[in-house]
């Protein structure tokens, strides 16, 4: 039913892992193959393309659905429908930042300090030009086709580039998450929109499950309040009275981080038969 385009390059591995966790495993003959398939009746065709190209192809109707960054949607000016953000990236769950960066030795501390005619290299020339125009900066914006950071300071004075950490870069211009986007006409079709929303549900559920586990434990009735007070539940723990023995079954979702200290503490507080169970998806 749907034609889907996925990002090739730095986001590729993280995207494949996400689709696998969402039970939408992408199959192809090799890592170099730009054609793929997903065993799902809602998806009939899968391609891999550079994320820079995806918004324009989606807008033109060459694909119904695709994954790219908000930065590239903004750069291309493509008119698409967004099904929402997908909080994952190649290294962290933090948003990508589009930053204006200068050498540490440069005297400029903000965009307003940049002199007229400053040379700026970037893979996002349209977005950069709009940003500089909005701040009244007359600059020479030079399109880059890779290795943008290597062009400073002998070729250009500054760069606009993408970063996840921003550890050595100064000025933040845009925050960008990965998004699931759709062709506007395809999204207007009720059948296709329903299939798209199903896919978004599975992907967001897989993301939400990351870093969480399910804890199941049995607790004596006289220790129930003490034990449940220790549980960082998503809402509140599920508690079921057992048929005999004055015991209660308790289950809740907790962050994986910290469970190594939580389980011994629960045991010391009176919990028994503690199970830690991996979670594939959390769907609200």
């Amino acid at each position: 039913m749907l034609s889907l385009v996925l990002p090739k390059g730095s986001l590729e591995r993280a995207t494949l892992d996400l689709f696998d966790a969402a039970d939408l495993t992408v199959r192809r003959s090799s890592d170099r193959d730009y054609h793929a398939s997903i065993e799902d009746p809602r998806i009939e065709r899968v391609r891999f393309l550079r994320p820079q190209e995806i918004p324009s192809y989606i807008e033109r109707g060459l694909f119904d659905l695709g994954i790219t960054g908000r930065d590239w949607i903004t750069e291309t000016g493509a008119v698409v429908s967004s099904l929402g953000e997908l909080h994952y990236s190649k290294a962290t769950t933090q948003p990508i930042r589009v930053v204006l960066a200068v050498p540490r030795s440069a005297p400029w501390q903000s965009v307003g300090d940049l002199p007229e005619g400053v040379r700026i290299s970037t893979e996002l020339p349209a977005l950069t030009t709009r940003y500089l125009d909005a701040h009244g900066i007359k600059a020479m914006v030079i399109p880059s086709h890779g290795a943008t950071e290597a062009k400073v300071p002998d070729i250009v004075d500054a760069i606009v580039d993408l970063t996840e950490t921003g550890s050595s870069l100064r000025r933040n211009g845009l925050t960008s998450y990965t998004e699931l986007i759709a062709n506007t006409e395809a999204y207007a079709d009720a059948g296709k929109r329903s299939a798209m929303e199903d896919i978004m549900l599975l992907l967001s559920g897989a993301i939400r499950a990351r870093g969480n586990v399910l804890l199941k434990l049995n607790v004596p009735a006289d220790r129930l309040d003490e034990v449940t007070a220790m549980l960082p539940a998503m809402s509140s723990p599920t508690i079921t009275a057992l048929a005999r023995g004055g015991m209660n079954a308790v289950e809740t979702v907790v962050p994986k981080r910290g469970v190594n200290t939580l389980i011994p503490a629960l045991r010391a507080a009176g919990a028994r038969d503690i199970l830690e169970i991996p979670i594939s998806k959390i769907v609200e």
Side-chain angles (χ1 to χ4, degrees), residues 138-183:
K138 295 181 180 179
M140 180 187 298
V141 178
I142 304 169
S144 174
H145 301 285
T148 305
E149 290 185 356
K151 297 177 174 70
V152 179
D154 51 334
I155 299 176
V156 297
D157 304 304
I159 64 171
V160 170
D161 206 359
L162 306 178
T163 180
E164 288 191 50
T165 62
S167 57
S168 63
L169 305 175
R170 289 186 183 172
R171 183 70 180 179
N172 178 22
L174 174 72
T175 297
S176 174
Y177 274 115
T178 305
E179 291 186 36
L180 184 66
I181 61 172
N183 172 266

Side-chain angles (χ1 to χ4, degrees), residues 3 6 52 93 128 140 189 200 206 242 253 277:
S3 54
L6 300 177
Q52 299 93 316
T93 58
T128 300
M140 180 187 298
D189 179 280
M200 183 62 181
L242 299 181
V253 175
I277 304 171

Side-chain angles (χ1 to χ4, degrees), residues 228-246:
T228 55
M230 301 168 63
L231 296 173
M234 290 176 59
S235 53
S236 62
T238 299
I239 302 172
T240 305
L242 299 181
R244 54 185 178 271

Side-chain angles (χ1 to χ4, degrees), residues 55-78:
S56 296
Y57 286 137
I58 293 286
E59 180 185 36
R60 291 158 56 189
L62 297 177
F63 298 93
D64 297 315
L65 193 65
I67 287 180
T68 189
R70 171 51 54 178
D71 49 320
W72 294 117
I73 301 169
T74 303
E75 168 68 15
T76 60

Side-chain angles (χ1 to χ4, degrees), residues 111-144:
V111 63
D113 297 334
L114 295 176
E116 183 174 342
V118 64
R119 300 165 302 169
I120 300 177
S121 179
T122 181
E123 295 186 34
L124 301 159
L127 185 153
T128 300
T129 299
R130 289 195 297 269
Y131 179 75
L132 294 172
D133 286 347
H135 288 80
I137 303 300
K138 295 181 180 179
M140 180 187 298
V141 178
I142 304 169
S144 174

Side-chain angles (χ1 to χ4, degrees), residues 208-225:
R208 187 169 174 79
R210 289 180 172 179
N212 292 292
V213 295
L214 177 67
L215 283 188
K216 303 183 72 171
L217 49 147
N218 292 333
V219 185
D222 61 349
R223 297 291 186 91
L224 187 60
D225 289 343

Side-chain angles (χ1 to χ4, degrees), residues 4-28 36 38 46-51 54 65-69 86-92 178-180 199 202-203 206-207 210:
L4 172 68
V5 57
L6 300 177
K8 187 75 176 171
S10 61
L11 270 177
E12 185 175 353
R13 184 69 260 165
T15 300
L16 290 171
D17 290 344
L18 173 60
F19 271 69
D20 190 51
D23 297 314
L24 296 167
T25 300
V26 179
R27 305 185 186 280
R28 52 183 174 167
I38 296 176
V46 182
R47 286 287 301 272
F48 283 85
L49 292 172
R50 300 293 295 180
I54 289 175
L65 193 65
I67 287 180
T68 189
L86 295 170
H87 290 199
Y88 80 102
S89 60
K90 62 182 179 181
T92 71
T178 305
E179 291 186 36
L180 184 66
I199 292 168
L202 294 171
L203 294 175
I207 291 172
R210 289 180 172 179

